[in-house]
Amino acid sequence: MIEVHNIHKSFDGVKVLDGISGVFETGKTNLLLGASGTGKSVLLKCIVGLIKPDIGSVTFDGTYFTNNKLGIKQEIRRKIGMLFQSSALFDSMTVEKNIEFPLKMLGDMEKDERIDRVNTVLKRVGLEGANKKMPSELSGGMKKRVGIARAIAPHCTYLFCDEPNSGLDPLTALKIDELIKEITEEYGITTIIVTHDMNSVIEIGDKIFFLFKGKKLWEGTRDAIMDTDVKELNEFIFSNRLMRDAKKIEDEEEQQEVNGNNR
Amino acid sequence: MLQHFGKYLLFMSTLFSRGESPRILFNRTMDEAIIIGINSIFIVAIVSTFIGAVTSVQISYNLDNAFIPRSTIGFMVREMTLLELAPTITSIVLAGKVGSSIAGGLGTMQITEQVDALEVMGINSTSYLVLPKVIASILVFPMLVILAMFLSIGGGFIAGTLTGEISQQEYISGIRSDFIPYNVVFALIKSVVFAFLISSISSFKGYYTSGGALEVGQASTGAVTNSVIAILVADFVLANLLL
Ligand SMILES: Nc1ncnc2c1ncn2[C@@H]1O[C@H](COP(=O)(O)OP(=O)(O)OP(=O)(O)O)[C@@H](O)[C@H]1O
Ligand SMILES: [Mg+2]
């Protein structure tokens, strides 16, 4: 369980996070939902300590984290798996070396075991056989999947994913979402996912936190989200739906065209 | 300025806090040493050979007094090489070559969140990324300077004898006369100091890059200019202290 208490953060006088609190439960996929630029990535980085919040604190399973001693922070961090928005693969290393890296640095596995583990997670993200590729040879979506593989390789206790399925086709996006949910439930880890995709909300959102301009406006389950009376959230859902409806209409038109041509 | 210097000192102190195991440090240092050595050996060889050659030609041009023995050319090439040309010119060349690549590499890792990725894994990114570069530079620079010494004196020999300004025997007797071993020690001390300055300043510049590709370029240029200035200042200070 991760507890976030009253986090504030400004950059050069511009408030990005304005008093965010929340409890992220173990074994659940927690979603941070919000439009571009609302501070989702900054919040995630505050939680893992890459950005120091101006005010506020974070505890991991009861252990105080934010301003604790470096040793204790590093101990907690070794239990964290994180996927960055830009994937952040080490570009001087092959895919295999990238995924093996945390195992090598933090674990006491033998070489064979490590390679086994690399192959297992690569298979789970649907990239078996990509071991010897360099990051520069991968597409954006493939990089994302390697990033996820690297995050989950060392059996983490806490998993953070910054937009795991943006830039992926709908089918792969769905697979990645399901993979993250599976892992979360299977190993009982605490997962926080940043997203602006309503599909993810409907498919895997156990608990959703809606951010708007640095504030948390709403939290609740995916069943409750459709009945919300928060105006900003409704607009957000509506805009997402609009897009999907438009897509549906397009598809139907295409279908009709195909039918027409067949006739 | 003072603020920058304070930040630099703080940065240096993080290098030694909570590092990785000695085995990892050793492997990383060897990797970096190989990269630094292989990437620089060619340019160092070219530059030092030509500098030696030019020095010998110019000295002989200036030495037209019949009372001064021709072997003085060899003597002076050796002295200038050992005291100044090999350590300082080589280091300035390396500031361009190694400094820009350190700053560019670290800057890119910073803006693409690779440094963050290391930190989140619980790895001290400065001791993992930067310390090996500093140690590797301190190990490799003196070797490159020794190479530069031989090539520069050799370049002087080739240029002097090919132009017929000095005979082979005269040049050799020149470079063997009044040899002070301490000058070599002095040159090596300088190369170690310069190595530390270049690698740490460039790492500092690269590590604190934020923004995008443009800033990475600026970090590289900044690393080179600052390193070169630091070398020249240190050169002056060391000459006063140690000679
Ligand atoms: N290091 C930084 N320095 C200054 N400003 C920053 C920094 N990081 C983020 N910001 C600002 O904070 C705001 C929120 O950024 P953030 O990356 O968290 O958005 P986001 O919600 O993740 O958006 P997206 O969905 O587009 O990724 C932005 O206005 C951004 O300009
Ligand atoms: Mg973001």
Side-chain angles (χ1 to χ4, degrees):
Chain A
M1 184 169 70
I2 301 171
E3 287 162 281
V4 173
H5 184 66
N6 192 29
I7 291 201
H8 289 258
K9 180 73 198 174
S10 305
F11 289 109
D12 309 319
V14 180
K15 198 123 206 168
V16 174
L17 297 178
D18 193 2
I20 304 240
S21 301
V23 176
F24 303 93
E25 282 170 47
T26 306
K28 296 251 167 80
T29 45
N30 300 282
L31 262 49
L32 294 175
L33 184 68
S36 185
T38 46
K40 305 183 295 294
S41 298
V42 173
L43 177 58
L44 210 58
K45 285 186 182 174
C46 282
I47 295 175
V48 298
L50 288 173
I51 296 178
K52 203 170 144 38
D54 301 334
I55 316 176
S57 64
V58 179
T59 58
F60 285 79
D61 288 316
T63 310
Y64 176 68
F65 178 75
T66 313
N67 288 320
N68 216 328
K69 287 196 288 277
L70 189 64
I72 293 172
K73 279 172 101 160
Q74 285 193 334
E75 218 160 88
I76 292 177
R77 278 184 173 169
R78 286 173 189 231
K79 298 185 202 160
I80 292 178
M82 180 153 178
L83 167 71
F84 286 83
Q85 193 164 358
S86 64
S87 302
L89 300 181
F90 302 123
D91 46 24
S92 58
M93 299 181 192
T94 60
V95 165
E96 180 175 286
K97 287 263 168 351
N98 258 286
I99 302 173
E100 192 194 354
F101 185 79
L103 302 173
K104 206 165 156 182
M105 295 297 290
L106 314 175
D108 41 14
M109 282 185 180
E110 292 300 317
K111 178 90 185 159
D112 302 349
E113 272 180 274
R114 293 201 300 260
I115 299 302
D116 267 357
R117 181 74 190 144
V118 170
N119 289 327
T120 312
V121 289
L122 266 181
K123 197 160 175 206
R124 280 201 94 152
V125 297
L127 282 177
E128 55 265 73
N131 300 47
K132 298 295 172 219
K133 285 217 160 66
M134 296 303 284
S136 56
E137 299 171 312
L138 302 177
S139 73
M142 286 162 90
K143 280 186 197 156
K144 262 221 150 129
R145 287 187 275 163
V146 175
I148 293 177
R150 185 177 68 183
I152 63 178
H155 296 295
C156 51
T157 316
Y158 312 102
L159 181 61
F160 300 91
C161 300
D162 199 340
E163 308 202 359
N165 56 15
S166 70
L168 297 181
D169 62 280
L171 189 64
T172 316
L174 183 64
K175 273 201 195 138
I176 293 293
D177 275 350
E178 280 170 352
L179 168 69
I180 295 173
K181 191 168 173 65
E182 260 171 48
I183 295 167
T184 304
E185 283 167 4
E186 199 176 317
Y187 299 111
I189 59 186
T190 311
T191 302
I192 303 181
I193 303 173
V194 167
T195 185
H196 38 60
D197 183 6
M198 281 304 289
N199 288 330
S200 303
V201 171
I202 292 160
E203 262 126 32
I204 59 164
D206 290 329
K207 184 89 175 275
I208 296 122
F209 299 79
F210 177 67
L211 300 189
F212 185 80
K213 292 194 176 156
K215 284 196 164 69
K216 184 186 78 185
L217 290 191
W218 185 86
E219 71 170 89
T221 62
R222 71 186 127 169
D223 298 325
I225 200 168
M226 291 304 172
D227 307 325
T228 172
D229 48 13
V230 175
K231 186 171 126 272
E232 288 84 359
L233 180 53
N234 267 319
E235 274 170 9
F236 186 84
I237 297 172
F238 184 68
S239 66
N240 257 269
R241 225 188 242 167
L242 218 59
M243 240 169 58
R244 266 183 297 151
D245 287 349
K247 179 98 183 64
K248 216 190 254 164
I249 292 168
E250 231 172 58
D251 287 350
E252 276 167 10
E253 276 172 359
E254 240 168 53
Q255 197 58 40
Q256 276 169 0
E257 244 172 58
V258 172
N259 291 346
N261 289 346
N262 284 350
R263 222 172 274 149
Chain B
M1 178 69 200
L2 215 57
Q3 202 184 351
H4 271 287
F5 190 64
K7 203 170 158 197
Y8 169 77
L9 289 184
L10 274 180
F11 175 72
M12 294 318 293
S13 72
T14 63
L15 288 191
F16 303 101
S17 61
R18 293 196 76 83
E20 304 309 319
S21 70
R23 190 178 54 84
I24 290 173
L25 180 63
F26 178 80
N27 289 341
R28 286 270 305 119
T29 304
M30 285 304 121
D31 288 349
E32 294 288 350
I34 289 166
I35 294 171
I36 293 173
I38 287 180
N39 284 346
S40 336
I41 200 161
F42 180 69
I43 184 81
V44 167
I46 296 271
V47 169
S48 53
T49 310
F50 274 86
I51 293 255
V54 171
T55 311
S56 121
V57 169
Q58 293 195 347
I59 292 173
S60 82
Y61 168 73
N62 282 299
L63 268 190
D64 48 5
N65 190 326
F67 293 105
I68 302 174
R70 297 306 282 169
S71 64
T72 310
I73 300 173
F75 171 77
M76 284 182 71
V77 169
R78 185 201 72 207
E79 284 304 287
M80 289 175 69
T81 296
L82 294 190
L83 281 176
E84 194 62 23
L85 298 177
T88 309
I89 301 285
T90 303
S91 295
I92 286 177
V93 169
L94 289 175
K97 187 83 190 167
V98 178
S100 64
S101 103
I102 288 180
L106 283 176
T108 307
M109 290 191 75
Q110 187 65 265
I111 63 161
T112 55
E113 298 180 311
Q114 293 176 50
V115 173
D116 284 351
L118 282 174
E119 287 286 332
V120 162
M121 288 173 192
I123 295 164
N124 179 347
S125 58
T126 50
S127 69
Y128 180 79
L129 291 173
V130 177
L131 189 58
K133 290 187 203 292
V134 175
I135 299 177
S137 301
I138 289 175
L139 292 176
V140 173
F141 275 37
M143 295 187 211
L144 290 170
V145 166
I146 290 173
L147 174 78
M149 288 173 180
F150 280 109
L151 290 178
S152 172
I153 293 172
F157 176 78
I158 293 168
T161 52
L162 281 186
T163 53
E165 293 290 341
I166 181 171
S167 73
Q168 298 186 354
Q169 289 75 15
E170 280 171 326
Y171 190 87
I172 291 170
S173 88
I175 59 176
R176 293 178 66 173
S177 65
D178 298 322
F179 177 62
I180 309 168
Y182 177 73
N183 286 353
V184 177
V185 176
F186 176 62
L188 294 181
I189 293 173
K190 289 211 302 194
S191 70
V192 168
V193 172
F194 297 162
F196 176 79
L197 289 173
I198 293 172
S199 56
S200 63
I201 290 173
S202 307
S203 300
F204 174 69
K205 280 278 168 190
Y207 191 85
Y208 288 104
T209 306
S210 61
L214 187 66
E215 282 80 3
V216 174
Q218 286 169 350
S220 282
T221 348
V224 178
T225 18
N226 286 296
S227 298
V228 170
I229 293 169
I231 290 172
L232 296 175
V233 172
D235 194 23
F236 180 73
V237 172
L238 286 176
N240 278 305
L241 283 181
L242 298 179
L243 283 185

